[in-house]
Amino acid sequence: MNDPYSVLGVSPQATDEEVKRAYRDLARKYHPDNYHDNPLADLASEKMKEINEAYDTITKSREQGGGYSSYGYGGGAAYQTQSGPRQSTAGSNAQYVQIRNLINANNLSQAAAMLNAIPTHDAEWYYLMGSVYWRKGWMDQAGQFFRTAATMEPGNIEYRNAVQYMNQGGQAYRPAGAGDMMGGDMACNMCQNLICADCCCEMMGGNLIPCLGCR
Amino acid sequence: MYGYVRPAKGELKVREYELFRGVYCGLCHELARRYGFLSRFLVNYDFTFLAMLLADGTGKQTCPRRCPVHPLRPVRCLGSCSSLSTAADMTVVLGWWKIADSAADTAGAKALAWKLAKFALRRAYQKAAARQSAFAHSVEDNLARLHRLEAERCPSVDETADTFALILRSVAEGEPDRDRRRVLEELLYHLGRIVYILDAADDLAEDTRSGAYNPLRYRFDAGEGKLSAEDEHTLRAGLQLSHNALAGAFALLGENDYSGILSNTVYLGLPAAAQAVFAGTWNKPATLQRERRDL
């Protein structure tokens, strides 16, 4: 394994607080939520694992028997994403399950071929076609298919989440002060949602904003 | 080319700004060295970005050199290196095809000027295309596909943008490390998409007036050459998703000498360009001239 301090980009003389801050920044950057349904998700998850291991190694060696051991994201791979279009297998017929598996395996041409062979187009067909385009990076067409799916079946949460995720411009890591492509309204809405959710969380005894950055 | 891919100058450190100038001037010198004086006119920001993106090692030095634009006071230039040579080759290939396009698309005296330029650069193009044959084939194939889609009045923004995205993606083809190539390909694909869509948005009013093809005219209802607020939001949300993918790939790329400038370009420069395009204040020729004067 690489030197855990160089993985986190801090010197071995750094204080516990500095190590923790470096770890949080990196964990925010390579968080699985930034890479869901992304062709590079495997590389990001490797990176996340490396960061978690480095942080664990440092905290363990610094606090032998101390109470730090429960930190980390558990390797990233086990982390559940919370929003956006993603593949579940609930309520699908056998053919759709197969197509979802193809999409998850990034076999887009075969998934598209199977979809095109289906004569009747229900809401799930539109959703899956949207997922194929999403993976391909054809964001505009993906959005159109997701919106059709959500209009045909307004009660479906999976479709509605996909549309909402697209409309708010998705989720990504951005350093402080970075611009966006949407003219500021995205950042505002997202902050408002976050602060709202954080207030609710805090009333129930939790704290959402630090949860999102790092536990 | 287009000029959307460049750092937000005011946010660069002075040291980074000087290095950026060094790469831009270095690319211009490299063009002259490999392809003769005329090819210098093809130098642009987009390929300056690519030269910095493709650079692997660290510790490259700049040295003072004179040129026709700076005959008295020498400017610091980056010395020849493999990423600069590759960027110069690709600048000539894509630049020549764009001139060929302009020669075919325009009429009258202007067309003659483009044809002369095309003729003057044909040797340079042949040499560059032989050095970067995979890239040259990608440019030729994808531009041919773009022409077909234009002739069909294709209503899909994604499909037309795909042509330019694939051209930029093929810049990474020579990268030997598999993981690094995957990261670069994802980054460049979405960069190409963003550049194409920004250019379409910027040209929308002009194309609507002249009746020229523009995918946005067929994708949205842009009657007066302007998108409705809702359509603009849809388009920009799509751009944001591509920018997320680009930023996600960028975060996975290792550091090099130019990381600060590249990061500025990704997180500040591109959003600023998008802002200007949608505010209608981009105005390519004037902006480009002003920037050129500064360098």
Side-chain angles (χ1 to χ4, degrees), chain A residues 16-85:
Chain A
D16 288 357
E17 198 48 49
E18 282 164 349
V19 171
K20 197 163 144 187
R21 201 181 315 133
Y23 166 71
R24 280 192 175 184
D25 284 350
L26 287 171
R28 201 164 69 86
K29 194 166 173 179
Y30 298 107
H31 195 285
D33 273 358
N34 299 335
Y35 291 92
H36 77 76
D37 261 335
N38 185 305
L40 303 176
D42 56 323
L43 297 178
S45 143
E46 263 170 46
K47 192 92 186 163
M48 192 76 195
K49 212 173 133 200
E50 199 187 6
I51 295 160
N52 281 331
E53 280 169 7
Y55 187 67
D56 277 349
T57 311
I58 294 173
T59 46
K60 271 184 196 141
S61 72
R62 285 188 175 196
E63 308 229 344
Q64 306 247 324
Y68 255 121
S69 54
S70 66
Y71 260 101
Y73 281 101
Y79 191 89
Q80 290 292 310
T81 56
Q82 295 178 345
S83 56

Side-chain angles (χ1 to χ4, degrees), chain B residues 131-292:
Chain B
R131 281 170 170 157
Q132 305 288 342
S133 59
F135 179 72
H137 280 126
S138 167
V139 173
E140 190 174 359
D141 295 349
N142 282 299
L143 286 182
R145 187 157 71 94
L146 182 59
H147 290 153
R148 272 202 308 279
L149 293 170
E150 284 174 354
E152 291 165 10
R153 302 285 189 227
C154 174
S156 164
V157 181
D158 290 326
E159 200 170 349
T160 41
D162 185 62
T163 57
F164 193 66
L166 286 178
I167 287 176
L168 276 204
R169 190 179 187 268
S170 58
V171 166
E173 222 148 297
E175 172 57 46
D177 181 89
R178 185 173 165 271
D179 284 346
R180 191 175 145 83
R181 189 172 62 239
R182 278 178 62 203
V183 170
L184 282 171
E185 283 180 343
E186 171 82 355
L187 193 161
L188 289 164
Y189 183 87
H190 285 282
L191 186 68
R193 254 179 75 81
I194 291 171
V195 167
Y196 182 88
I197 294 173
L198 283 181
D199 194 48
D202 196 34
D203 290 343
L204 181 59
E206 175 63 31
D207 288 343
T208 308
R209 206 173 327 118
S210 69
Y213 170 78
N214 184 317
L216 299 180
R217 285 180 63 204
Y218 298 88
R219 164 67 178 87
F220 298 107
D221 179 25
E224 304 284 292
K226 184 142 177 53
L227 297 177
S228 71
E230 200 191 333
D231 288 344
E232 186 184 312
H233 178 85
T234 304
L235 187 69
R236 292 179 77 166
L239 279 171
Q240 182 64 47
L241 293 167
S242 268
H243 192 258
N244 294 349
L246 188 161
F250 180 68
L252 290 167
L253 208 65
E255 301 249 312
N256 69 13
D257 281 346
Y258 312 106
S259 294
I261 309 171
L262 294 172
S263 170
N264 173 308
T265 309
V266 167
Y267 292 115
L268 300 167
L270 272 176
Q275 231 60 283
V277 165
F278 285 102
T281 54
W282 180 256
N283 195 342
K284 272 176 285 190
T287 317
L288 283 181
Q289 260 169 29
R290 198 177 56 237
E291 293 276 331
R292 280 245 169 79

